Amino acid sequence: MTNPLRLSLGPVLYYWSRDALFDFYAEVAELPVDVVYLGETVCSKRRSLRLEDWLTIAERLTAAGKQAVLSSLALIEAESELKYLRRLCASGEYWVEANDMGAVQLMRRRPFVSGPTVNVYNPRTLRVLAEHGLRRWVLPVELSRDALADMQAERPPGVETEILGWGHLPLTLSARCFTARSHNLPKDACEFRCLDDPGGRLMSTQEDEPFLIVNGIQTLSARPQNLVGELERIRELGVDLLRVSPQAEHTGRIVDIFHRRLDGALSTDEALSALQRFAPLGTCDGYWHGQPGRTLKQA
């Protein structure tokens, strides 16, 4: 019997206003996703919501039948960020998606998820983390399906596996703010320019080939990864959760397409065709196939 795949919604990677975030999660409460990740994972200067606001949203989503998970920053650079991380990890009621090893340390002996920025590259790492409370791990985006198969063969009991099914690939984080630099502004006086780019800023090569998306201190792939055509293989590998990364627009429609494909209401070709309209630059799946990430192998 194949493993039943569930849908999750990753944390919002971009800088959205307070009202936009509350409106978005009011919509999410009605979406067919089982798990929702909440919180700022990129830049601590993005303070549209306080921890108390995230906890309020988590409570509402829990009441709507979702599992709410609090996501931590992926790059800790200051004592103030560490202080916030301690508060996040001490909130108690919810699992935490640990996006760096500092959060892993703070969550010892309590249930946590290792996010895609934690370097889980071999079964031994999974076993060590499981001994300290790991209940779910998210496959680093650069690993292939063959690497995942090796990991799954030795996955500890009681640990779930989650992979990115749709979304721009989070590639790097830097101490330097690329968005501020593009506006000739210093990082400490960035004027919160990320608010102007709710889906990040597209960067192209000199040949006008889409290359990266700049999102503050983060860079992402210009094209979203789309694994809707790989669902049978994903099921065979025993994956538990398929993540959709939120976009500035049409997240609900993307989730609905994946949901209908999982339920068999759409064929693979129908799902691929329906998703094309939400990726005007095309999609990619190279890493999944052990190729350069920006390539596309699916038909």
Side-chain angles (χ1 to χ4, degrees), residues 3 36 48 87 119 179 181 189 205 230 299:
N3 192 57
V36 183
S48 296
R87 290 181 59 213
N119 295 337
T179 300
R181 183 62 181 267
T205 66
E230 293 287 314

Side-chain angles (χ1 to χ4, degrees), residues 144-202:
S144 69
R145 64 184 183 186
D146 291 338
L148 175 60
D150 292 339
M151 298 286 284
Q152 292 291 82
E154 299 186 53
R155 178 174 55 161
V159 175
E160 296 179 328
T161 297
E162 180 173 347
I163 67 173
L164 178 66
W166 174 277
H168 295 277
L169 297 163
L171 300 174
T172 63
L173 291 157
S174 171
R176 172 171 291 182
C177 179
F178 303 110
T179 300
R181 183 62 181 267
S182 70
H183 289 283
N184 292 317
L185 294 168
K187 179 181 178 181
D188 291 339
C190 66
E191 300 177 3
F192 304 105
R193 290 298 182 93
C194 286
L195 278 171
D196 299 332
D197 302 305
R201 299 189 70 189
L202 177 66

Side-chain angles (χ1 to χ4, degrees), residues 85-105:
L85 179 63
R86 292 191 184 103
R87 290 181 59 213
L88 181 77
C89 293
S91 55
E93 186 175 350
Y94 303 100
W95 289 13
V96 168
E97 181 189 50
N99 284 306
D100 87 316
M101 288 303 294
V104 170
Q105 284 291 105

Side-chain angles (χ1 to χ4, degrees), residues 164-169 171 221-228 279 281-289 292-298:
L164 178 66
W166 174 277
H168 295 277
L169 297 163
L171 300 174
S221 62
R223 298 181 178 93
Q225 175 166 279
N226 178 15
L227 297 185
V228 77
L281 299 177
T283 59
C284 63
D285 62 2
Y287 281 142
W288 176 252
H289 296 286
R294 65 198 300 268
T295 59
L296 177 66
K297 183 175 181 179
Q298 66 190 15

